[in-house]
Amino acid sequence: SEKVGGQGVSFATEVAAITVKFESRAAADTLAKIFATLASVGANIEIINSASDSAICIVSLVKAREGLEALEKQLGVKSEKN
């Protein structure tokens, strides 16, 4: 058996999930736009979960609104804000 080491656990409590749904045939292009758009406003993606027709990006709560607005503009969609 192999031993795996670690130094601790870190976590952030002030995060938001941004979910983007898209057509599966445009997945690669849409994912690239999502990542580039969030990066352009400094919204560091902490966790990514993607499927063939959607992506969930966990970002800092501080940058969530700015990231969401940038995605709306870049993708030409209006969000369902919760």
Side-chain angles (χ1 to χ4, degrees), residues 9-20 31 34-35 38 43-51 54-61 71:
V9 176
S10 65
F11 60 93
T13 58
E14 300 291 319
V15 296
I18 298 176
T19 303
V20 180
L31 287 171
I34 292 168
F35 301 153
L38 291 174
N44 185 42
I45 301 171
E46 301 291 333
I47 300 171
I48 302 165
N49 182 11
S50 65
S54 64
I56 302 170
C57 300
I58 306 298
V59 300
S60 166
L61 188 58
L71 285 170

Side-chain angles (χ1 to χ4, degrees), residues 22-44:
F22 45 81
E23 293 184 27
S24 60
R25 66 175 189 246
D29 184 50
T30 304
L31 287 171
K33 286 180 183 177
I34 292 168
F35 301 153
T37 300
L38 291 174
S40 74
V41 297
N44 185 42

